[in-house]
Amino acid sequence: MSRKWVEKEAPLWIERGIVTREQVNQILNLYEDKKHAVGLLPILGSILLGLGILSFIAANWQDIPQLLRLGLVIAAMAGFYGAGETMVRRGSDKLGIALVALGVISFGGGIILIGQMFHLMAYHAGTFILWSAAGTAATYLYRSRYLYLLSLLLVNVAQWYSANEFDTFSYTAFGLLVLALGAYVWKRRSNLLIWLFSFSVTLHLLMWTTSNEIPFLWMFVPAMALYVAGDWLEERHGGYALQAAPLAAAFVFGVFMVLFPDEWRGGMMEELRPEPLYYIGALVLLFAVSLAGKMKNGRASSAFECILFVPFLYIPSGIEVLYLLSLFFFSLYVLWRGYTEEWRFKINFGTMLFICSTLVAYGKLTWDFMDKSLFFMIGGIILLGLSWFLNRRKKQVLDVTKEGNPHE
């Protein structure tokens, strides 16, 4: 609940006698904007200072004597960790966490620069993984969302560095992400952290298939396993945060299959399709576990979402049409559930997906033969019309159910 939302809703509460003006003021005092602004300053300061330290050392490193370099690295790291711990113990949590984050940044920068100083060569992403592990340890120690985000960024950089520089998927980095950072987010149950964790896992899976040159569809087996984990979460918003990234990846893949048939027909089919017996068997097994989780938590109707994971690639003909229909059905399903559950996020998300599906279908069916200026004009009119209709429908539903709506 934010101050802005309370300010918007308070007049209605007062008018209906739910609260008094004095009680509203007391609630607003709990969400003072200036407290949030002040709380952000140490975080922003630590980011700027960390970047400054790294750029300064990188620019002047060769001019500094080796012994002094080593001393600077150790002193900076120890100083930031020590100062951060002191500030946390004194109750200045924001400033303390910001200083600890600087210690993590100094630790990684020190590893890289010492490696350069002694000409140490590495043909793997071990440096970034060690750096990520230090960030993860700090996250557990201080239970900080900021340190978690920093660790998540580092482990993603480690995987990208391994895939991009050495064409190798780092199972160590992936294990650190899933076991350590996944366990943390599972325990803390922050929707934002769950969503970012799910996005990171999906990103790692994409690099797994591309760097190991294995059939691309295998990516959707562990992605669906992530989706299944969301079904077993009793808290619906957390489950949806966990499932959003796998669904988004499947949706984007469907868009690719519709818009670029010449690409996957021209020799890519074998790069996309795994052995059907094992792949389809794994999907069926995961679907069964997913359905069991949905039924346990009273969400059986959401099983329709799995239409995005159906491998239409194994069907001899009509692949593009089936993928296009799956995009439309999924979009309409999300819209329908949003209106049924009176959940603003789902309504907005479904609206965006439906407009996207319409644009994909329109581009697919008309791009080749229609005059390009006419193509954009008609496309713009269709999108504006859809946007007006869906927003009008959303406003009607949310206005009717505004009072007592838990999803606002």
Side-chain angles (χ1 to χ4, degrees):
M1 187 165 63
S2 68
R3 179 185 176 92
K4 185 177 178 182
W5 184 81
V6 175
E7 288 176 337
K8 180 182 175 184
E9 299 296 327
L12 181 63
W13 300 343
I14 297 173
E15 180 184 334
R16 297 187 178 183
I18 300 172
V19 293
T20 64
R21 170 55 65 186
E22 290 72 21
Q23 289 172 325
V24 169
N25 291 334
Q26 290 176 355
I27 295 172
L28 289 174
N29 288 335
L30 298 175
Y31 300 92
E32 292 184 38
D33 287 340
K34 60 183 181 181
K35 285 184 179 178
H36 295 292
V38 171
L40 284 174
L41 288 179
I43 307 297
L44 295 174
S46 69
I47 293 172
L48 291 177
L49 189 55
L51 291 174
I53 291 170
L54 292 177
S55 60
F56 171 78
I57 294 177
N60 300 281
W61 193 246
Q62 298 302 327
D63 300 330
I64 303 174
Q66 283 196 4
L67 194 60
L68 183 57
R69 298 178 198 177
L70 193 59
L72 278 174
V73 170
I74 295 173
M77 184 178 63
F80 285 129
Y81 278 136
E85 174 66 18
T86 303
M87 296 309 296
V88 169
R89 288 187 179 185
R90 291 181 179 177
S92 301
D93 289 348
K94 300 280 186 185
L95 181 58
I97 294 299
L99 290 170
V100 171
L102 280 173
V104 174
I105 294 172
S106 302
F107 174 76
I111 295 175
I112 295 172
L113 295 176
I114 288 174
Q116 292 177 353
M117 190 167 68
F118 295 104
H119 305 290
L120 302 176
M121 300 295 293
Y123 298 97
H124 49 73
T127 299
F128 287 100
I129 294 171
L130 187 59
W131 194 354
S132 309
T136 304
T139 300
Y140 272 92
L141 189 60
Y142 291 98
R143 299 177 183 178
S144 162
R145 176 181 296 197
Y146 176 47
L147 292 175
Y148 183 89
L149 295 178
L150 179 62
S151 305
L152 205 59
L153 175 65
L154 290 173
V155 80
N156 287 337
V157 170
Q159 194 61 265
W160 172 83
Y161 182 72
S162 178
N164 191 55
E165 293 295 323
F166 308 110
D167 291 325
T168 304
F169 181 78
S170 173
Y171 289 95
T172 308
F174 187 67
L176 181 66
L177 170 66
V178 174
L179 299 178
L181 294 175
Y184 180 88
V185 83
W186 186 267
K187 187 176 180 181
R188 303 294 292 181
R189 301 292 176 90
S190 162
N191 291 341
L192 174 64
L193 297 188
I194 291 175
W195 189 89
L196 291 173
F197 167 76
S198 176
F199 175 78
S200 298
V201 172
T202 306
L203 191 64
H204 280 233
L205 295 176
L206 177 63
M207 289 187 273
W208 172 58
T209 53
T210 54
S211 61
N212 288 344
E213 297 183 352
I214 60 176
F216 186 79
L217 282 188
W218 274 120
M219 168 185 169
F220 292 110
V221 171
M224 190 165 175
L226 192 65
Y227 175 88
V228 171
D231 284 326
W232 285 89
L233 272 180
E234 293 182 1
E235 203 277 316
R236 188 177 58 166
H237 288 73
Y240 207 73
L242 199 60
Q243 294 173 330
L247 289 173
F251 189 89
V252 171
F253 179 74
V255 171
F256 170 80
M257 294 302 294
V258 173
L259 290 183
F260 303 102
D262 294 338
E263 297 292 331
W264 52 265
R265 280 176 181 156
M268 278 186 67
M269 192 64 87
E270 295 309 313
E271 298 176 14
L272 294 175
R273 292 192 305 193
E275 174 63 36
L277 178 63
Y278 300 113
Y279 179 72
I280 295 176
L283 284 186
V284 170
L285 178 63
L286 286 168
F287 178 74
V289 179
S290 169
L291 192 58
K294 290 177 187 296
M295 293 178 70
K296 175 180 175 292
N297 292 315
R299 301 197 289 261
S301 63
S302 65
F304 190 78
E305 292 174 351
C306 294
I307 192 173
L308 288 180
F309 295 110
V310 176
F312 297 115
L313 269 178
Y314 292 100
I315 296 175
S317 61
I319 295 174
E320 298 160 65
V321 175
L322 290 173
Y323 272 107
L324 183 57
L325 289 175
S326 72
L327 297 179
F328 264 113
F329 285 144
F330 177 74
S331 307
L332 289 172
Y333 167 78
V334 176
L335 260 179
W336 170 63
R337 292 306 304 172
Y339 287 128
T340 303
E341 299 171 14
E342 300 156 10
W343 188 356
R344 183 186 294 272
F345 171 77
K346 268 198 169 181
I347 294 175
N348 291 334
F349 189 49
T351 301
M352 184 187 69
L353 291 178
F354 186 72
I355 290 174
C356 179
S357 301
T358 304
L359 191 61
V360 169
Y362 177 72
K364 175 65 182 175
L365 297 175
T366 60
W367 177 260
D368 290 335
F369 61 85
M370 186 180 286
D371 178 81
K372 298 302 177 283
S373 58
L374 192 61
F375 170 87
F376 287 115
M377 288 174 64
I378 295 178
I381 292 171
I382 291 175
L383 290 182
L384 288 173
L386 274 176
S387 176
W388 172 81
F389 173 76
L390 293 173
N391 280 318
R392 184 169 178 270
R393 174 67 179 151
K394 178 181 73 174
K395 188 173 184 302
Q396 289 174 345
V397 171
L398 295 179
D399 282 348
V400 169
T401 59
K402 192 171 184 179
E403 184 180 359
N405 186 354
H407 303 305
E408 285 284 346

